[in-house]
Amino acid sequence: QIVCFTPVLLGVVVLGHRLLLEMYKPQLRICPLFQGLEENIITQLAMVMQAYLAIKGDIIVQENQVGEQMFMIVKGEVKLDSECAPKVRGKVWADGAFFGELPMLGLANGELRNQHVYTVEAVEESQLSVLNLQDMEDMERDYPVSVDKSPRCVAVYALSRHKSFALHQCCLVWLYLAT
């Protein structure tokens, strides 16, 4: 079966892409994990991100569960709890913070280093954006770049470089790299 795109349908697709870029690209640019990535990679990441709405009391990620998503807080607040990293218990993160990156980068709990190191609960209704591990792997495969400029490599480097930004997040990385 042949599918024809009408000008109206094509316009909707273009508008959808433009909307995704307007929604997610600014967040990706300010996130220290993605600073240093080339503009075309930021654009591709923005195209695969998804919206996530958490209501008060929702458990967004659970400690020791396999993590395949990274979350960025657009608007709202979340609270952390952790048995393995008690220093983060009760911490509240808000607009601009991110979490779930450690399992995606292989820096977390478990034999495969892919399990969350803390539980994250929505303190209030929170708008989040989500980047899936599979989408990031597909993007890395479809848009190859030199290894030192891959989103994962840049993110790991950013975590080690931005000690002053979200120090509690960086401390978690150092804690698990040392074990």
Side-chain angles (χ1 to χ4, degrees):
Q1 180 177 353
I2 297 175
V3 178
C4 295
F5 286 101
T6 64
V8 171
L9 183 56
L10 194 55
V12 170
V13 170
V14 170
L15 184 60
H17 286 189
R18 206 174 285 152
L19 180 60
L20 287 173
L21 293 176
E22 291 294 319
M23 287 173 55
Y24 300 127
K25 215 169 174 180
Q27 268 192 295
L28 290 165
R29 282 188 182 127
I30 63 169
C31 181
L33 292 181
F34 301 111
Q35 288 178 1
L37 283 179
E38 296 173 9
E39 190 65 19
N40 64 328
I41 295 173
I42 294 286
T43 299
Q44 293 305 319
L45 287 171
M47 297 300 291
V48 297
M49 292 189 76
Q50 300 171 8
Y52 183 99
L53 178 63
I55 59 172
K56 183 179 179 177
D58 276 356
I59 301 297
I60 303 163
V61 300
Q62 183 73 44
E63 183 175 1
N64 293 321
Q65 295 295 312
V66 172
E68 295 185 347
Q69 297 174 316
M70 176 184 158
F71 297 84
M72 288 183 262
I73 304 171
V74 177
K75 184 168 176 45
E77 289 186 351
V78 299
K79 181 176 69 172
L80 301 161
D81 188 25
S82 178
E83 293 297 318
C84 69
K87 290 185 178 183
V88 300
R89 280 191 197 137
K91 294 270 186 192
V92 175
W93 290 344
D95 303 4
F98 57 90
F99 57 92
E101 78 285 0
L102 297 176
M104 286 185 63
L105 299 171
L107 300 172
N109 283 348
E111 189 176 309
L112 298 177
R113 298 281 196 211
N114 65 348
Q115 296 174 359
H116 290 289
V117 296
Y118 41 72
T119 297
V120 178
E121 177 183 348
V123 174
E124 63 185 28
E125 183 174 286
S126 300
Q127 299 169 14
L128 311 170
S129 56
V130 182
L131 179 60
N132 291 301
L133 177 60
Q134 185 63 54
D135 289 333
M136 194 159 93
E137 288 172 345
D138 290 348
M139 197 259 333
E140 288 174 336
R141 183 195 65 235
D142 295 343
Y143 299 93
V145 294
S146 63
V147 172
D148 65 327
K149 291 185 179 179
S150 75
R152 284 182 223 230
C153 185
V154 169
V156 170
Y157 175 71
L159 279 174
S160 68
R161 188 181 68 200
H162 289 280
K163 295 178 185 175
S164 62
F165 179 86
L167 182 59
H168 46 279
Q169 288 181 318
C170 294
C171 287
L172 288 173
V173 173
W174 296 322
L175 171 73
Y176 290 100
L177 286 177
T179 59

